[in-house]
Amino acid sequence: MLRPPRTVVRREGGLYALERALQRRGFRHVAGADEAGRGACAGPLVAAAAVLPEGKRGEIEGLADSKLLTPLARERIYAEVVKRALAYSVVVIPAAEVDARGLHVCNLLAMRRALASLPVGPEYVLTDGFPLDGMGVPGLAVWKGDRVAACVAAASVLAKVTRDRIMVELDGQFPSYGFSEHKGYVTPEHSAALSEHGPCEEHRFSYINVANASGRDSRPPRSRRPRALTDPSSLGGEVVPDLDPGAAESLAAELASDS
């Protein structure tokens, strides 16, 4: 029985090597998904997905993990991703939803929804660290994917810039916390503001530091408790059964061994 040819990931391809290898295997539309805001104790969780075109048009100068870029560079690359991408989508999950459903659940559902919202259906999915089952196409969770795959890096920039813009807007509504500076992450200045003013409605009361500052344990103020949890289908998008999971696992194993 003939075995399919191995997928060779060429290291000289750099950030684009993994996508190019998949495209040579026949997966033209490779989508990357990533999030921003997991570690923040205030503000929304934002997930994004992106499909970059094949060839030179899909190569964006300076593209990298959003955390390694300056704010100015992120804004420039954000504009390039929006301009060049075959498809992209961004999903925003408010802090109240993170409290109600849990961070990890919201993270996976948000990435599912971002991928399901792409106007161009992906043929292969790359995610940053967290595997996504049931997407209907093969996929691979890549450790530090935003430093390994261009489409994941593009998604990380979309998510980070979107979230940072939201936090700057929230700073205007809640000026006591310095959201425009630390973007809702835990810093000495943010912790001092929490101690002095207590949390606002945009804080995540399921986080221990916010719960301690609120004096309510992990229960948010009644005014921002959801009456009912959001229907998972409305948050996560349509989930379809895996197509040929054996083939997906085989390709993932080959890519892992070749990289």
Side-chain angles (χ1 to χ4, degrees):
M1 181 177 179
L2 294 176
R3 297 182 61 186
R6 290 171 60 83
T7 300
V8 178
V9 180
R10 295 170 179 151
R11 297 181 185 276
E12 64 269 20
L15 192 63
Y16 299 89
L18 185 53
E19 279 156 273
R20 298 295 180 258
L22 288 166
Q23 288 160 355
R24 291 195 301 273
R25 192 69 175 264
F27 299 100
R28 293 187 59 200
H29 298 153
V30 181
D34 200 4
E35 53 71 34
R38 277 181 60 87
C41 67
L45 178 72
V46 178
V51 179
L52 297 176
E54 298 178 79
K56 291 295 184 180
R57 179 167 175 76
E59 297 181 6
I60 300 172
E61 183 180 356
L63 178 62
D65 173 9
S66 63
K67 296 184 290 296
L68 302 179
L69 299 170
T70 65
L72 186 60
R74 279 197 297 266
E75 289 285 348
R76 178 185 64 79
I77 292 172
Y78 175 95
E80 285 294 314
V81 171
V82 169
K83 177 182 177 181
R84 298 192 189 198
L86 289 177
Y88 70 92
S89 63
V90 180
V91 172
V92 178
I93 307 298
E97 193 73 34
V98 174
D99 283 343
R101 298 190 62 82
L103 176 64
H104 187 61
V105 170
C106 284
N107 186 44
L108 297 183
L109 291 176
M111 286 198 292
R112 287 182 187 277
R113 182 177 174 187
L115 289 162
S117 301
L118 289 169
V120 172
E123 298 170 0
Y124 200 97
V125 170
L126 298 173
T127 53
D128 183 22
F130 297 99
L132 290 179
D133 298 325
M135 291 304 301
V137 295
L140 181 66
V142 183
W143 176 248
K144 294 187 177 179
D146 45 10
R147 303 186 188 187
V148 174
C151 58
V152 180
S156 78
V157 170
L158 291 174
K160 174 65 174 170
V161 170
T162 299
R163 189 177 186 279
D164 283 358
R165 291 174 179 178
I166 291 172
M167 296 310 297
V168 170
E169 291 181 4
L170 290 177
D171 185 66
Q173 299 178 43
F174 306 97
S176 300
Y177 300 95
F179 287 153
S180 64
E181 296 298 323
H182 52 67
K183 306 302 189 293
Y185 288 89
V186 180
T187 65
E189 294 76 16
H190 192 181
S191 297
L194 267 174
S195 297
E196 181 177 356
H197 304 288
C200 71
E201 64 187 65
E202 291 296 331
H203 280 93
R204 302 176 187 175
F205 286 77
S206 54
Y207 282 46
I208 187 64
N209 63 322
V210 178
N212 289 340
S214 72
R216 309 171 190 268
D217 296 324
S218 61
R219 292 176 62 80
R222 188 173 300 277
S223 62
R224 56 153 285 188
R225 296 178 200 162
R227 294 182 180 179
L229 295 181
T230 300
D231 182 349
S233 63
S234 68
L235 179 61
E238 182 180 2
V239 179
V240 297
D242 279 328
L243 298 181
D244 195 2
E249 291 176 4
S250 175
L251 179 59
E254 289 185 20
L255 288 172
S257 65
D258 288 331
S259 60

